Amino acid sequence: MKNIGIGLLFSILWSSASVATKFGVQSAAPLILANVRFFIAGILLLSFSYLFVKDKAYRLPTKSEWQQLALFGFLNTTLYLGLYVYAMKYTAAGIGSLAVSTNPLIIVLLSSWWLSRKPKAEEWTGIILGMGGVAVATYPLLADSYTTVGGITLLLISMVAVSAASVYYATVKWELPNLLINGWQVFLGGVFLLPVTLFMADFNTTKLDTVFWGSVLWLSLAVSIVGLICWFYLLRIDTVKASLWLFLCPLFGFFFAWWLMGEPVTMYTVGGTVLVVAGLYAGQRTKFAGNKKS
């Protein structure tokens, strides 16, 4: 029951990120929202790790670990979350959650290139179904101006970035605790994004109101800290079973978008979500079968 509760909490928090971001970009430029979020989450995680955890493993990174953290932070925070937040200004919140759920499918493709592993037929099926599902769910939203082609393009690029970060993460033999890895990669990602924010963001239109701070605090505390702690916990127990909780993210994401943002839920929404969930299952069916046998 404990694992089920943590899995549900992860799905709810992870799928809420797109709606929280949509609220935040109403008060501030996307890059400003992203940078403030990164610095708050990074500083809180690092402060807790170094000040309150009495464990020798919680040390400063070595030279090689700094390089690994910098690359991981650039891919996972600067590129992925920076582009994701910017894309959400021009994309429906529900589509944002749906796109995030395609990450395991994109990881399959990147792994085949990076690790020289040929994708299996069911994995190609999963990729086609997943991308087709995003296209179906997006189609009516383009006509209603809830979503733009530019927003979808940035969103898909951000999905490739986070998938690349996941593949890279799997290739590194990390010796630092997960809290430190997450804290440093988020903080470094914010540092790398800061020059772009200072150069490109429109500070004149930024309103540091309750909507902005509510969005920032939710994204920093609930999503970047609590959500990732839940995810790392699930991964340590069983990587395959952990991925099952991604199936619920589109469902919660569209519910939050409808409930809080008033976004329409149509037959295209339902059909697209079904295709993405079917794609996720098809793409990882072999893993599930192997897990049951073991």
Side-chain angles (χ1 to χ4, degrees), residues 23-30 32-33 89 202 205-208 212:
F23 276 111
V25 296
Q26 294 176 6
S27 298
I32 295 175
L33 177 72
K89 188 174 179 66
D202 184 1
T205 60
T206 298
K207 297 179 292 183
L208 302 181
F212 172 81

Side-chain angles (χ1 to χ4, degrees), residues 66-101:
W66 278 121
Q67 295 171 345
Q68 294 164 348
L69 289 166
L71 180 54
F72 183 49
F74 179 75
L75 290 172
N76 195 66
T77 297
T78 308
L79 276 184
Y80 162 48
L81 290 175
L83 288 172
Y84 181 84
V85 171
Y86 203 89
M88 289 313 300
K89 188 174 179 66
Y90 308 100
T91 309
I95 297 300
S97 295
L98 190 64
V100 169
S101 300

Side-chain angles (χ1 to χ4, degrees), residues 22 37 96 109 133 256 272:
K22 287 291 286 185
R37 168 193 178 182
L109 281 181
F256 289 139

